[in-house]
Amino acid sequence: MEYINNELCLGPLKKPLLPLCANYMRPIYVYDLDFVAQRYQAMTKALPGTRVFYAMKANPNVEVLQKLKHLGAGADVVSLGEIKRALESGFSPQDIVYSGVGKTRHEISEALTLGIYQINVESLPELERIGAMARSLGKRASVALRLNPDIDIKTHPYIATGLKDNKFGMELSLIPDLVKCLQTYSDSLELVGISLHLGSQMLEFSGYQEALKRLKTVYVDLQKKFDTLTRFDFGGGLGIFYDRLDVELEESLLKDYANITLETLGDLQCELQTEPGRWLVGHCGTLIAQVQYVKKTSAKTFVIVDAGMNHLIRPSLYEAEHLIFPLKKTMEVMKADIVGPICESSDFFAKERTLGKVQEGDFVAIMDSGAYGYSMASLYNLQELPLEICL
Ligand code: LLP
C-alpha cells in the first residue's frame, strides 16, 4: 500500500484507485493482474518443477483465471460450476484437478466425460462411486487419494482441514480398504496420485513437514502396488499477512515452505503438484466502498459504508482483520467501527480501528481482499453483488 500524490495505489506498479470511482455506483473489487503475475512467478521460481493448480475458489474472476492460465497454471476446482468457469476461461480438462468432499453423481459423470486430469477422492464411498460410474461409462478415471494425516497447522478452526475430526480426506488406517477398492475397479480406476491439504492461512510449517513425511512413506508403499502412482499433490494453504504488506517477508516464508517441501519430497521423482489460492491473489485485490454515514453514539463512532458482510464475509466469519485506508490521504485520524448496511451486528469490517479521518462520500479500500472476497459474496438483504475491475 502506498499513497502517491495523496492517492492510494495498488500493487507493485502502484496503480491509483481513486480514478476508478469517477462513476461510482456500488462497491468494487479491484484486482491487479500484474501483481497476480508477480506472485505466480515468485511461487514457480521457489518450487521449480512443481505444477501449480490455482485453487480458483479463492477468486474465480475470469480475467484472473485467464491471466493464471496464460502464465502456465492449472486449476484446482471443487464443483461443476468451477469446472465450467475454468473451461470458459481457457483451461482444458487436462489442466484441472477436481477436489471436494461432496461430488454428486452428475458432477462425477461430467468430469469423467470431459476427461478431467485428476480427481482427488475424499472418501471410500466416493471412490466406489467413481469406480462404478467410470465402469458403466467405459472410462478409466485418474484418481488421487486425499489423505488426512491428523495434523494441526495452528490456523483458525474454520479453515483447518487436516485433523481427524475434519470432514476432509481419508484416514491413513483406511488405506487397506482403498487398495481393495482400487483393485476391484482396476478396469475403471487408475491410481495416479496422493494428495494432502492441511488447511488455509498456514504461516508455520512444522506440522506440514510432519505430514509430508508421513505421506511420503504411504506414497512409497502404495507405489509398490500401483506403478501408475506418479503424482504427489501437497495442497495449498500458504498464508499471507493481513496486518502489513511485506512482499519480501512473504517470499522468504515461501522459500522456507518450498525448501521443506522439496527437501522432503524431492527424491520421490514424481510429479509434484500444489494448489495455492490465497497466496497468489490475496494481496492483489482490494474492495472499494463509499462512506454513507459517520454515526456517533454515546459508546462509539461508526463509519457506515455501502459494502457489508454480504460483499466480504471474512471479518464476520473468521474475525479476520483487513487493513482499511481512505483512498485520499488524510492528515487527521479517527477511531471507529467500520460497518456495513446489513441487519446483523456481525456485519463489521473493523472494530475500534484507528484510520484516516473520513466523512460521508469518501471512499475507503478494504485491503487484501483478492482471495475469498467476491467468491464468498452473497445476496443477503438483497443487496447487489459488488462490481469487479481488473487493472
Ligand atoms: N486446496 C484445497 C483442497 C482447499 O480446500 C483449499 C482451500 C485450497 C487448496 C486453497 O487454500 P489457500 O491456498 O487459498 O489457503 N474462506 C477462507 C479460506 C477457505 C479455504 C478453503 N480451501 C478464508 O477466507 O480464509
Side-chain angles (χ1 to χ4, degrees), residues 53 55 57-58 76 78 99-100 120 122 146 158-159 161 168 196-197 199-202 235-239 242 275-280 313-314 317-318 320 371-373 376:
F53 293 87
K57 63 172 81 68
D76 170 74
V78 288
S99 314
N120 287 356
E122 306 235 14
R146 177 168 174 187
Y158 288 6
I159 54 176
T161 57
F168 300 97
L196 161 79
H197 176 73
S200 204
Q201 194 51 3
M202 179 166 63
L238 181 59
Y242 281 94
E275 308 163 356
R278 185 192 321 265
W279 203 89
L280 294 178
I313 202 172
R314 302 195 69 260
L317 195 55
Y318 318 112
Y372 306 108
M376 295 180 83

Side-chain angles (χ1 to χ4, degrees), residues 39 240-241 246-254 279 283:
R39 299 290 277 188
I240 63 173
F241 295 105
D246 188 338
V247 171
E248 265 175 41
L249 177 63
E250 286 186 2
E251 288 189 2
S252 91
L253 215 60
L254 165 68
W279 203 89
H283 287 309

Side-chain angles (χ1 to χ4, degrees), residues 8-10 17 20 27-32 281-289 312 322-325 327 364-371 387-389 391:
L8 190 68
C9 296
L10 181 65
L17 294 170
L20 305 173
I28 313 169
Y29 274 101
V30 183
Y31 310 127
D32 178 2
V281 293
H283 287 309
C284 310
T286 192
L287 174 60
I288 296 178
L312 176 66
H322 288 246
L323 294 171
I324 301 175
F325 299 112
L327 291 200
V364 294
I366 305 167
M367 304 301 288
D368 307 316
S369 41
L387 299 169
E388 292 179 292
I389 297 178
L391 302 175

Side-chain angles (χ1 to χ4, degrees), residues 43-233:
M43 184 162 272
T44 49
K45 193 169 162 218
L47 287 162
T50 301
R51 244 186 118 176
V52 176
F53 293 87
Y54 167 56
M56 62 180 281
K57 63 172 81 68
N59 185 334
N61 175 281
V62 171
E63 285 177 71
V64 169
L65 290 172
Q66 286 170 336
K67 183 78 185 181
L68 285 163
K69 163 68 189 159
H70 178 74
L71 290 164
D76 170 74
V77 307
V78 288
S79 70
L80 184 56
E82 288 192 350
I83 291 177
K84 287 183 180 163
R85 176 70 64 86
L87 297 176
E88 278 162 26
S89 308
F91 292 90
S92 82
Q94 283 294 300
D95 297 324
I96 297 177
V97 168
Y98 182 16
S99 314
V101 295
K103 303 177 191 80
T104 64
R105 285 180 191 282
H106 176 58
E107 288 179 312
I108 291 169
S109 150
E110 294 287 307
L112 292 173
T113 309
L114 284 164
I116 293 293
Y117 182 64
Q118 177 176 312
I119 304 180
N120 287 356
V121 178
E122 306 235 14
S123 66
L124 183 57
E126 184 192 332
L127 189 64
E128 285 163 349
R129 181 184 275 191
I130 296 171
M133 288 184 67
R135 183 175 280 171
S136 72
L137 288 167
K139 304 263 181 203
R140 197 140 192 255
S142 299
V143 294
L145 304 175
R146 177 168 174 187
L147 298 171
N148 179 334
D150 189 24
I151 276 181
D152 188 3
I153 57 159
K154 303 191 170 53
T155 187
H156 190 287
Y158 288 6
I159 54 176
T161 57
L163 289 163
K164 70 167 183 259
D165 58 355
N166 296 138
K167 67 181 171 183
F168 300 97
M170 297 175 281
E171 291 177 274
L172 305 193
S173 59
L174 198 64
I175 287 174
D177 295 333
L178 295 169
V179 167
K180 227 181 273 165
C181 180
L182 286 163
Q183 286 163 344
T184 307
Y185 289 102
S186 58
D187 57 317
S188 59
L189 292 178
E190 180 164 290
L191 179 66
V192 296
I194 65 166
S195 91
L196 161 79
H197 176 73
L198 296 177
S200 204
Q201 194 51 3
M202 179 166 63
L203 291 164
E204 188 274 331
F205 310 124
S206 54
Y208 171 68
Q209 185 167 28
E210 180 55 34
L212 289 185
K213 284 186 189 150
R214 281 190 207 169
L215 292 205
K216 182 179 183 180
T217 315
V218 173
Y219 182 92
V220 171
D221 282 352
L222 279 173
Q223 220 185 17
K224 291 179 192 141
K225 296 194 181 71
F226 301 93
D227 59 7
T228 50
L229 179 57
T230 52
R231 308 176 194 164
F232 194 119
D233 176 352

